Amino acid sequence: MQTLSQRSPILMALALGVFAPICEELIIRGNFFSYALAERFDQPRYQLVTVIVNGVLFGLLRGGFSWVQLSYYTVMGLVLAATYILSGRDIRVNSVVHVTANLGLMLMA
């Protein structure tokens, strides 16, 4: 990864900042929510549970064993899950939010 970022920072930015978040959204939010909310999308209590489970799963899949990283990714997963529901299950909105967050983090690093 470090070699790729040194040799081709633009390619690295596209891969990690744009393509990876879009793929994650399609897999995590697209598949998870399509399955989990198929019949109960209008029930607020079920939506809340689904957002929490989705956020925790996102954190566990990305956070590793560091509490700081686990916390950050769990919060990000909660935000993305809530965004998905509030946008009317529009995966494009989530993709834009996720891409923006990743590119922002890359610029700060």
Side-chain angles (χ1 to χ4, degrees):
M1 289 280 246
Q2 191 172 17
T3 304
L4 180 60
S5 66
Q6 291 172 348
R7 288 185 181 177
S8 183
I10 293 173
L11 182 60
M12 184 72 157
L14 284 173
L16 295 179
V18 178
F19 297 124
I22 291 171
C23 290
E24 285 181 27
E25 288 307 313
L26 290 171
I27 293 168
I28 295 175
R29 244 69 56 200
N31 286 330
F32 177 80
F33 273 94
S34 292
Y35 176 76
L37 293 177
E39 297 175 10
R40 301 178 182 172
F41 184 70
D42 294 333
Q43 296 177 7
R45 186 174 293 165
Y46 192 79
Q47 288 177 347
L48 177 63
V49 169
T50 305
V51 166
I52 292 169
V53 169
N54 188 269
V56 170
L57 285 174
F58 187 78
L60 290 172
L61 289 172
R62 300 285 310 279
F65 298 104
S66 164
W67 284 105
V68 173
Q69 288 179 336
L70 179 63
S71 300
Y72 166 77
Y73 286 120
T74 299
V75 169
M76 187 65 186
L78 292 170
V79 168
L80 290 168
T83 301
Y84 186 68
I85 287 178
L86 294 172
S87 71
R89 298 173 76 176
D90 188 350
I91 200 74
R92 295 171 297 181
V93 174
N94 272 68
S95 296
V96 169
V97 171
H98 200 152
V99 165
T100 303
N102 278 24
L103 289 176
L105 286 171
M106 289 174 74
L107 289 173
M108 290 191 309

